[in-house]
Amino acid sequence: MSESFAVPGIRSDDLSLPEPTPEHFRWSLLHHLQYTVGKSPEHASKFDWRMALSHAIRDRAVNPWFASTRRTWAEDRKRVYYLSMEFLIGRLLEDLAINLGLRDVVVEVLDGFGLSFADIAEDEPDAALGNGGLGRLAACYLESMATVGCPAYGYGLRYEHGLFEQRFEHGRQIETPENWLAEGTPWDFTRPESAYQVGFGGEVAEEDGHQLWRPRSRVLAAAHDTPVVGYGGRWANTLRLWAAMPNADLFDLARFNSGEFAAASEPEALARSLSRVLYPNDTTEGGKELRLSQEYFLTSASVQDILRRYLAAHDDLTRLPEYVAIQMNDTHPAIAGPELIRLLVDEHGFGFDAAVDVATRVLGYTNHTLLPEALERWTVDLMRKVLPRHLQIIERLDTQFVELQGSRPDPVRLIGGDQVNMGDLAFATSHRVNGVSALHSELVRKDLFPVHDELHPDRIVNITNGITPRRWLRLANPHLSRLITDTIGEGWETDLERLRGLEQHADDPAFQAAFGRTKHLAKEGFAGWLADEHGIELPTNALFDAQVKRLHEYKRQLLNILWTIAHWQRIKRDPGAGWVPRVKIFGGKAAPSYHTAKDIIRLINDVGQVVNNDPETRDLLRVVYPPNYGVSMAEKLIPAADLSEQISTAGMEASGTGNMKFALNGALTIGTLDGANIEIREQVGPENFFLFGLTADEVAARRAEPDHARAAIERSQPLQDVLQAIAEGTFSPDETHRYGGLLDLMWNSDWFLVASDFDAYDAAQGEVERAYRDPQHWQRMAILNVARMGYFSSDRSIREYMSEIWDIAPAL
Ligand code: 26V
């Protein structure tokens, strides 16, 4: 904490900027170019202009930000703190320009200089501080909290390196480090005064009846704040990211001066490693000390900051739940329960039970997956080594939890055998636990936490995920956005249910044609980008069929590529059968150590090699896999897609949010009854959705059948032909047995039921073909999809969190 030099009497309101007229904005841009970036217009590069422009726009975020913060303090409002190891933000320049209502002015001013806004925006690296769905959800929720006026802070880590970059070499995934901070970021404000010590290791001593934790080492958490401005600029919140900083005493100057440079810097490097890199796995491998340390680093700094802010205005910590809600994004910050209890007991004189009561009423936990391998568990030994005091607290919570279960023979344990179960811990220390779609929440109740649910029947609630329509429609799809506004007027951006107004135009041939033109423009945009960036030419008259998401067996990219092979074989057998030309688009990264997922990537690329170079089928079928899928690629691709592949094994995709982005942009879904697909289908109407596949119950039953894989393959001639072609090396002529591993999985285990669902998927793809041949029919279905997607705005999700979990009223 640094000493206050506050100057009373000068009010920040007096410093407000003049109206953002083109004249003023032009001045501001040139001013920042010259005095912030230090370049003259004659010598500026694209980067220089981007930095100047970002600063000119950021200036405009400051006043709403201050005003919101002041109001929250003045009205002593409850705040929500969203703790997440991931925030997959993407780019911010255009997002802020749109939300602040500056986009048109910016374009005009840049035009005046002969500069293109799109070009400059494209220069910004993505902030890829997340793996996939969970991280992107956190980013959408931040934006919605600012839009609906929910006083909130996002807390995360300021990773120096975000999610790795993906390249392909001979079809194989190669990972290279991501470096978004290399050129610096214009968005954040460094807050050296908001820094906290986070302790690790050491031991717990008893001192007159009290437990005292003496950590072995301490790392400094330094705050970096980015303003998050809601649509219309009426409210702004803070995303506070912690950077790990070595304490000054860690650097051994004497050693350095005597020439031992590396050794002198080692403890420093170790401290910094806490925020060095985002873990690229989206499932735990267990026993990773650095990962646990990162989680505690985020959690401890955030909880300290939260208590400091509360105590600046209050003194009674028993009333914390009236002013503070902490949401845990999955179990990654689940050490928040023990940490809060520790601070209340060890530093604020609470009794254990009173501390547990306060913590539980403050905390909420969102579960994002049922996959057993993704449920975090830490060994007791590791916990003792890194967080000995927290282990004591968890042990006591475990004892109480077992007592609560009375005489139950095989009680659920927070510590089972030699492992701490973070899901059970998060449940036990939260007043609400939510799943992220209706089906998922049901399975959380029945399969994951049945005993907890029996003990606390009101604790589990469902909050179906949502997406922000500002980024995923207004920003990503300007042509469709304009058509929507021209048709139903303004206001849909913050009241997405208004899209219903499009329903009445679904049968109007003129509107269908206009709608079709927006899709075509988006396809040309994506195709142009693909040609410029990757030298791949696409026929834009073809059906664009897209599956983009992390590579995972349960998401079944394998099913998609196997069907693609079957389709190719059929075209070759009967090239004149009037096939609908298709482009199969894949995108997504595999965890570096996930070998099966990497084999699937390679197979897709190998199939592309053969299919795209086959003169017989080239005009009818393409397979493209642009590398390094992320938020920015999604913004270009999703508006261009006709068909959205949401084909996970039923019961395994918690929700999905890509499914929502595609449907909102007028792609039709081919999908299983899984996650939010079920609710999307209900909303858009079953006749406007291509459904196939086993249900979650049927999946469980099928898995119990011995040899289900072999039996299913033997029932399907097309699938046999596909597997045989792969086995013969059709797609790997230089290495016939390259896919032996995948084939073995298909024949002998097939946990994800690719074979069992193959024929149903094939039939649904046949339906797609038939529907696409009738453009008016297709257009009508697509329009109805857009019109009925209002429910999936993240504003709706956030309002539900506010009323059902956080008990916060909107400030707007
Ligand atoms: C786990 C771990 C474990 C350690 C290494 C890093 C890491 C990163 C992420 C995860 C959990 C992944 C869970 C996840 O992303 N779930 C997705 O959440 C989306 C938002 O709710 C949802 O739409 C997807 O269906 C779900 O898969």
Side-chain angles (χ1 to χ4, degrees), residues 82 85-86 130-138 141 159 278-286 288 291 294-295 329-332 366-371 373-376 378 435-437 440 463 465-466 549-550 552 554-555 648 652-660 674-676 801:
Y82 198 87
M85 287 289 281
E86 308 194 4
N131 273 284
L134 167 146
R136 182 54 233 176
L137 186 76
Y141 281 1
Y159 301 109
L278 166 76
Y279 262 75
N281 299 340
D282 53 9
T283 51
T284 343
E285 283 155 73
K288 291 274 169 60
R291 172 75 185 180
Q294 285 188 327
E295 294 181 353
N329 199 22
D330 220 294
T331 54
H332 314 156
T366 305
N367 174 281
H368 294 270
T369 180
L370 302 169
L371 291 185
E373 65 272 28
L375 294 176
E376 289 188 295
W378 304 107
V436 291
S437 73
H440 172 66
I463 304 206
N465 282 168
K549 48 185 82 245
R550 283 299 286 261
H552 242 293
Y554 82 79
K555 294 178 188 282
S648 51
M652 302 202 73
E653 188 70 271
S655 162
T657 44
N659 48 2
M660 300 169 189
D674 199 15
Y801 276 93

Side-chain angles (χ1 to χ4, degrees), residues 76-145:
D76 201 15
R77 277 178 179 275
K78 187 168 186 179
R79 299 168 175 92
V80 57
Y81 296 102
Y82 198 87
L83 267 58
S84 179
M85 287 289 281
E86 308 194 4
F87 287 92
L88 228 185
I89 305 280
R91 292 176 175 144
L92 278 178
L93 184 49
E94 189 173 8
D95 171 85
L96 266 171
I98 288 176
N99 279 11
L100 287 163
L102 296 172
R103 199 184 180 285
D104 291 344
V105 176
V106 169
V107 169
E108 184 185 330
V109 168
L110 290 173
D111 253 11
F113 297 138
L115 299 171
S116 140
F117 179 55
D119 252 18
I120 292 176
E122 195 68 23
D123 185 61
E124 182 178 355
D126 273 32
L129 311 184
N131 273 284
L134 167 146
R136 182 54 233 176
L137 186 76
C140 283
Y141 281 1
L142 280 182
E143 201 270 355
S144 273
M145 289 189 285

Side-chain angles (χ1 to χ4, degrees), residues 305-324:
D305 199 34
I306 292 164
L307 291 186
R308 193 222 12 101
R309 192 171 296 110
Y310 176 79
L311 290 171
H314 307 90
D315 43 25
D316 181 1
L317 278 164
T318 63
R319 297 185 62 184
L320 194 67
E322 294 170 45
Y323 296 94
V324 167

Side-chain angles (χ1 to χ4, degrees), residues 35 49 83 106 109 145 159 176 188-189 344 377 478 497 679:
Y35 300 106
W49 282 109
L83 267 58
V106 169
V109 168
M145 289 189 285
Y159 301 109
T176 51
D188 66 10
F189 294 84
L344 293 175
R377 297 176 206 283
E497 292 286 354
E679 290 153 85

Side-chain angles (χ1 to χ4, degrees), residues 598-798:
K598 288 183 144 181
D599 278 351
I600 296 170
I601 290 181
R602 192 174 189 193
L603 175 62
I604 296 168
N605 282 322
D606 275 352
V607 170
Q609 273 297 316
V610 171
V611 166
N612 298 341
N613 293 307
D614 183 339
E616 273 178 4
T617 60
R618 261 189 75 75
D619 294 337
L620 294 173
L621 181 63
R622 296 288 175 85
V623 177
V624 297
Y625 196 152
N628 207 36
Y629 175 70
V631 172
S632 290
M633 195 197 298
E635 289 166 5
K636 297 182 182 75
L637 165 66
I638 289 171
D642 296 301
L643 187 66
S644 158
E645 300 268 352
Q646 308 300 337
I647 59 177
S648 51
T649 313
M652 302 202 73
E653 188 70 271
S655 162
T657 44
N659 48 2
M660 300 169 189
K661 294 165 196 166
F662 279 104
L664 180 62
N665 282 277
L668 301 185
T669 305
I670 181 166
T672 48
L673 285 176
D674 199 15
N677 292 354
I678 297 173
E679 290 153 85
I680 293 174
R681 179 168 171 269
E682 277 166 17
Q683 291 285 329
V684 304
E687 66 284 7
N688 302 309
F689 187 108
F690 300 100
L691 179 71
F692 75 95
L694 300 175
T695 63
D697 289 337
E698 289 165 349
V699 162
R702 177 62 57 90
R703 276 182 183 152
E705 285 175 27
D707 257 349
H708 60 81
R710 191 164 294 272
I713 295 170
E714 275 158 9
R715 282 195 296 271
S716 172
Q717 190 60 50
L719 180 54
Q720 284 172 43
D721 294 347
V722 168
L723 297 179
Q724 189 179 342
I726 297 172
E728 287 170 354
T730 308
F731 309 104
S732 54
D734 50 330
E735 188 188 3
T736 315
H737 299 298
R738 182 173 297 162
Y739 297 106
L742 284 182
L743 292 170
D744 179 58
L745 277 179
M746 281 296 300
W747 282 98
N748 297 316
S749 64
D750 195 18
W751 180 253
F752 302 96
L753 302 177
V754 170
S756 284
D757 271 344
F758 186 87
D759 285 349
Y761 180 58
D762 188 24
Q765 289 287 13
E767 291 293 319
V768 170
E769 290 258 333
R770 273 187 289 286
Y772 198 77
R773 281 199 201 99
D774 179 352
Q776 287 188 359
H777 174 55
W778 184 277
Q779 229 65 271
R780 178 176 190 280
M781 290 198 289
I783 293 165
L784 289 176
N785 265 261
V786 177
R788 296 171 179 175
M789 283 297 290
Y791 179 75
F792 299 98
S793 167
S794 44
D795 300 348
R796 187 268 312 151
S797 313
I798 284 301

